[in-house]
Structures are given as C-alpha cells and as structure tokens.
Amino acid sequence: MLKEKPQQPVSFFQQVYDLVRIIPPGYVMSYGQIAQLLGHPRASRLVGWAMHRCPSQIPWYRVIKKTGELPLSNSLFPLSDQRRLLEQEGVSFLTSGLVDMKKHQYKLEEIDL
DNA sequence: AGTATGACATAGC
DNA sequence: AGCTATGCCATAC
C-alpha cells in the first residue's frame, strides 16, 4: 500500500500570495481578513510579514490595514506609489486619507486555490 | 531546536 | 482621539 504522503499543504505564505493575486483591481483586502480566510483569524501580523517578504510579483498594494490606512512607506514600497496605484484602479480615498473600505474591501467568502 | 521577527489587530488607558 | 501593551504564529536564521 502506498501510504499516500499527504501532499504538503501549501505553505501559509504561499497561500497568502495566491490569495492576494486574486484580488481584483479596484479592491483591497486587510491583513486580518486574509489571515482569517486562511484559517488563522489572529495571524494578521503573519500576513504582514508574508507581504514584507513578497517574493512574487503580486498586487501588494491592494493589501492595506483594516482601518483603511496604507501600511507603511519605505524605499521599496513607497506609500505615494501605493496610493497612486490604487487610485488608478478606481479606489477612492476619504478626506482623511483613508481608503473607503466600505466600498472597496473585497469580500471573499471562501478560498478556492 | 530555540529565538527573533513582522507591511497587524485589539483592548486599555 | 492618540499612545502603549499584549496577542498572534509560520518563517528565518
């Protein structure tokens, strides 16, 4: 009998990347939301780290904080660029400078990787 | 194999 | 309403 070796579950990070990849233009998702979808309701920081690593070409700028704030600016991922990219996709910002989450948060019920 | 890390979230003050 | 403290947990080293 071949004991079917459980096909190694895709790493958490990989799942994060796969999920981020399917966010349609004009929408955003929060770190906590992604973590929850992947079965780790409180591992938002983990998602943050996954995005920090960001090995793949993925729409990283579509992942923001739950509050609608853009995460953080650094030389690699300039905040101004992130805002510009989102605006180009039609994401509207409130006067406070936050993304209008009510409009643009991508609600995904189930993962289908 | 143990510790540090991290683009967050939430509660409390 | 802004700040600190604490939880979180798979990777990196």
Side-chain angles (χ1 to χ4, degrees):
Chain A
M1 310 290 203
L2 32 117
K3 39 175 116 164
E4 45 193 276
K5 91 202 293 197
Q7 51 183 23
Q8 295 186 341
V10 186
S11 74
F12 182 80
F13 278 27
Q14 190 55 54
Q15 293 184 59
V16 173
Y17 305 136
D18 290 340
L19 186 50
V20 172
R21 255 195 291 270
I22 68 175
I23 304 177
Y27 286 88
V28 298
M29 283 187 29
S30 76
Y31 298 90
Q33 183 185 7
I34 292 172
Q36 190 168 12
L37 283 171
L38 296 181
H40 295 271
R42 280 156 214 147
S44 51
R45 302 185 68 187
L46 216 38
V47 177
W49 199 20
M51 297 309 295
H52 172 87
R53 307 245 324 133
C54 193
S56 319
Q57 295 291 340
I58 59 179
W60 55 269
Y61 52 86
R62 294 185 192 142
V63 183
I64 64 177
K65 296 192 192 181
K66 190 183 189 177
T67 58
E69 289 176 291
L70 306 184
L72 136 173
S73 63
N74 59 44
S75 51
L76 296 177
F77 306 101
L79 190 58
S80 56
D81 282 1
Q82 182 167 16
R83 172 158 183 159
R84 180 172 48 75
L85 288 165
L86 290 173
E87 286 178 327
Q88 283 178 357
E89 294 186 345
V91 174
S92 55
F93 286 73
L94 304 176
T95 55
S96 52
L98 305 181
V99 171
D100 190 342
M101 293 300 280
K102 308 238 186 251
K103 275 195 202 165
H104 298 291
Q105 183 167 29
Y106 185 48
K107 283 146 191 120
L108 189 59
E109 304 174 353
E110 228 175 289
I111 331 170
D112 182 29
L113 295 180

